[in-house]
Amino acid sequence: MAGSLYEFLRTEVQRMMLGIGMHNKGNLYPLIVEEVERSIIKIVLEETHGNLLASSKMLGISRSTLYRKIKELGIE
């Protein structure tokens, strides 16, 4: 990926602001945090071929926490 993580996040936050900011005034932060968390978990799960133990170790969270987050975030 060219550029920094900051630049990437800036672009994505601006995109989200255009797409959802007008409809969810005052709720942008939790929506962004949820989307970033969902994306990170999905990427790690893909990299570990769905291995929850390996994914939880990579993320630095317990397997039960990972399982709960998968359920809460609607990750398949």
Side-chain angles (χ1 to χ4, degrees), residues 8-54:
F8 172 75
L9 290 174
R10 182 176 175 82
T11 301
E12 289 303 305
V13 168
Q14 287 173 333
R15 182 184 61 78
M16 289 181 77
M17 288 172 66
L18 290 173
I20 63 174
M22 294 183 182
H23 303 294
N24 296 294
K25 294 181 183 197
N27 290 330
L28 191 58
Y29 181 79
L31 291 171
I32 290 171
V33 170
E34 183 178 296
E35 188 57 39
V36 168
E37 187 173 42
R38 180 181 292 109
S39 297
I40 291 169
I41 290 172
K42 286 172 81 172
I43 290 166
V44 171
L45 285 168
E46 288 170 9
E47 291 298 315
T48 62
H49 306 286
N51 184 316
L52 293 179
L53 183 58

Side-chain angles (χ1 to χ4, degrees), residues 51-68:
N51 184 316
L52 293 179
L53 183 58
S55 294
S56 66
K57 285 182 180 181
M58 239 181 184
L59 291 165
I61 59 177
S62 70
R63 193 173 58 174
S64 60
T65 297
L66 177 58
Y67 182 76
R68 180 178 46 80

